[in-house]
Amino acid sequence: MQNFIGEIEQRSPAGIAAAIGRLIASGRLAPGDRLPTVRVLAGELGVSPATVSHAWQALSAVGLITSRGRGGTFVQDTAPQWLPARSQSMIGAVGAVRLDLSRGTPDPQLLPKLGPALSRVSQRAVTPSYQDLSIIPELLDVLRVSWPYPVDSITIVDGALDAISRSLDAVTHFGDRVIVENPSFPPFFDLLDQRGLERLPVAVDEHGIVPAGFAAALQLGPAVVLLQPRAHNPTGASMTAHRAEELARLLRTTAASADTIVIEDDHSAEISIAPDVSLGVWLPERTLHVRSFSKSHGPDLRIAALGGPAALIDPIVSRRMLGPGWTSRMLQTILHDLLTNGESMAQVSEARRIYFARQRALANALAEFGLDVVQADGINTWLPVHSERDAMVHLAASGIRVAGGSPFLANTGGPEFIRVTAGALPDDIRPVAEALFAAAHPRDAAVHPVAARWS
């Protein structure tokens, strides 16, 4: 334990937690190592047991240590092996915090109420035929009207990731190259790796994927371009129509990309403040567009629409008939009700307004402390930090949990980030913004005492 003492320069909860976090990150404390008791370490450091206890709580909140009751406190073991690689690094820590901004999920209070829709669903789960259409006609009509461009075929699948997975299965082969945004949604990386697909990461800016990098990647003949057109996770960027047209032009004029398929994940369509946008406007014959309703209507509905040319959609529907067959028509009926009922539509519209207001308030508050960020769309914000691990520990000591940025990055060794689920922010945003600033700029934390006291 004496090795700990020299590493702990600051005897505050945040300072103790940050020092232990660095020891874990460097490997000097390994998974499964037992830590000293609160009272023993407090005595060695000359601080109160409460100070060490708060440090232990911060480390536990970010998943670095775990308590086994009377058995002691240990460095956390690895995540469950049944999770994909990137998902293992994203797994949320257990334990209570005052404010959890790590989840990337919608505010439960802003989801439309399901009770009225459920009351209008048939009391029996019947279907006329196992070979009936995979999408109920009334839902298809609503989706066609709202689709960003005229499309041959639309089907319903079990969420956006299911749509992406099935699309990749249908249009790629082992060893194919796929252009992916950097940063991007970590399960995308897992999907590509599991299929033996080579990632071609291209940077994004506030308008989406950067054309210069995109043009260079197209020269390598990718089989697929995987994009998030709006409310990009994790950055919150939304593509403009001008940017989408520029990307479509590059696809159309680059000889090596003549057969490249575009897969778009519009996961936040109903809560995005940006207009509809899709490369399918210019390339309808080779665009698969996904519209998910998890962020707007509830993750547990597990529903997304997948639209594109019949030549691409029909094989996906056909293969699915040999698995789940179709997405529950009862759930489709509930979604149709939510998309057409005036009260539900108003609730989703209000959620979109509130998410916009929270993102704007956060951007404005961060600007007051000298941290300029582009106001994000949707529910997530991407913040640069001096050290991802230190920032997470510092925030945990203040009672705030965020997501580390490294799982979202295609490569390591560059700038570090954290992802903040701004959609879960409380009404009083300024103290949270101050804590975020102090975590991002620890050297300036001393001049921001509110951040240290927020917990």
Side-chain angles (χ1 to χ4, degrees):
M1 186 184 68
Q2 292 298 325
N3 291 337
F4 290 0
I5 306 304
E7 301 286 343
I8 302 174
E9 300 172 356
Q10 299 181 28
R11 305 301 168 93
S12 65
I16 296 169
I20 300 301
R22 287 191 291 271
L23 288 169
I24 294 172
S26 68
R28 291 171 62 186
L29 281 174
D33 282 355
R34 183 170 182 169
L35 299 173
T37 67
V38 167
R39 291 193 177 277
V40 169
L41 185 56
E44 291 287 336
L45 294 175
V47 300
S48 71
T51 298
V52 177
S53 179
H54 288 149
W56 263 212
Q57 290 172 17
L59 290 164
S60 177
V62 296
L64 293 180
I65 67 173
T66 183
S67 172
R68 299 177 187 169
R70 293 182 180 180
T73 301
F74 297 80
V75 177
Q76 181 71 273
D77 290 327
T78 56
Q81 295 303 301
W82 53 265
L83 287 170
R86 294 274 175 154
S87 299
Q88 288 184 30
S89 59
M90 288 179 65
I91 187 170
V94 297
V97 290
R98 291 180 181 269
L99 183 61
D100 193 343
L101 304 178
S102 71
R103 301 295 181 182
T105 53
D107 184 339
Q109 299 303 313
L110 298 182
L111 297 173
K113 293 180 174 61
L114 291 179
L118 290 171
S119 69
R120 290 187 283 268
V121 175
S122 172
Q123 295 183 22
R124 290 183 173 84
V126 299
T127 191
S129 168
Y130 284 176
Q131 286 75 43
D132 204 6
L133 287 174
S134 62
I135 180 171
I136 60 174
E138 57 267 36
L139 179 57
L140 177 59
D141 290 342
V142 170
L143 291 173
R144 283 198 179 280
V145 171
S146 63
W147 214 253
Y149 61 98
V151 66
D152 283 352
S153 183
I154 298 176
T155 190
I156 293 292
V157 294
D158 299 335
L161 201 55
D162 184 40
I164 302 299
S165 176
R166 293 183 181 281
S167 297
L168 288 171
D169 287 347
V171 301
T172 64
H173 301 89
F174 188 91
D176 280 347
R177 291 168 169 164
V178 176
I179 292 179
V180 64
E181 297 154 323
N182 187 29
S184 190
F185 186 45
F188 288 173
F189 298 139
D190 283 335
L191 274 175
L192 300 181
D193 292 347
Q194 287 197 3
R195 282 198 55 80
L197 302 172
E198 180 183 345
R199 290 184 253 136
L200 301 177
V202 178
V204 297
D205 61 17
E206 66 269 28
H207 303 305
I209 201 164
V210 176
F214 187 69
L218 287 179
Q219 297 296 333
L220 299 174
V224 166
V225 175
L226 181 53
L227 301 174
Q228 300 176 68
R230 293 191 289 179
H232 175 267
N233 185 1
T235 68
S238 282
M239 193 182 300
T240 62
H242 176 75
R243 176 64 59 83
E245 184 176 12
E246 187 173 9
L247 299 182
R249 178 184 59 79
L250 289 169
L251 275 162
R252 193 169 50 243
T253 59
T254 303
S257 64
D259 298 319
T260 302
I261 302 298
V262 178
I263 302 176
E264 299 174 332
D265 178 16
D266 195 11
H267 51 74
S268 295
E270 299 291 320
I271 59 169
S272 170
I273 59 171
D276 272 344
V277 62
S278 172
L279 273 67
V281 172
W282 299 275
L283 299 170
E285 74 285 355
R286 49 178 170 145
T287 298
L288 288 167
H289 186 80
V290 180
R291 175 156 292 187
S292 171
F293 299 92
S294 292
K295 298 288 193 302
S296 55
H297 293 78
D300 208 37
L301 283 176
R302 309 310 306 141
I303 284 188
L306 172 63
L312 296 179
I313 295 293
D314 287 351
I316 295 173
V317 174
S318 177
R319 175 64 184 88
R320 202 161 176 260
M321 290 301 295
L322 300 177
W326 64 89
T327 297
S328 165
R329 295 184 177 100
M330 292 184 69
L331 289 178
Q332 293 188 47
T333 302
I334 292 170
L335 178 61
H336 174 262
D337 190 291
L338 293 173
L339 293 175
T340 56
N341 177 268
E343 183 177 356
S344 298
M345 294 167 67
Q347 290 169 352
V348 173
S349 179
E350 178 65 3
R352 181 170 56 249
R353 184 196 67 78
I354 292 174
Y355 288 137
F356 170 79
R358 289 175 181 174
Q359 291 278 25
R360 180 175 58 186
L362 178 61
N364 290 342
L366 289 172
E368 290 183 25
F369 298 112
L371 187 59
D372 289 328
V373 296
V374 176
Q375 180 180 335
D377 188 11
I379 64 174
N380 295 306
T381 290
W382 188 238
L383 294 182
V385 295
H386 177 71
S387 165
E388 172 189 329
R389 180 66 62 87
D390 288 354
M392 293 176 67
V393 170
H394 183 101
L395 288 165
S398 297
I400 303 171
R401 181 183 292 148
V402 297
S406 54
F408 299 85
L409 295 166
N411 37 46
T412 58
E416 299 190 22
F417 299 85
I418 56 174
R419 189 197 66 178
V420 180
T421 302
L425 285 167
D427 292 336
D428 188 8
I429 286 178
R430 182 180 170 84
V432 182
E434 195 163 6
L436 291 170
F437 174 80
H441 298 276
R443 295 177 182 176
D444 300 327
V447 299
H448 295 285
V450 174
R453 298 197 310 264
W454 190 78
S455 61

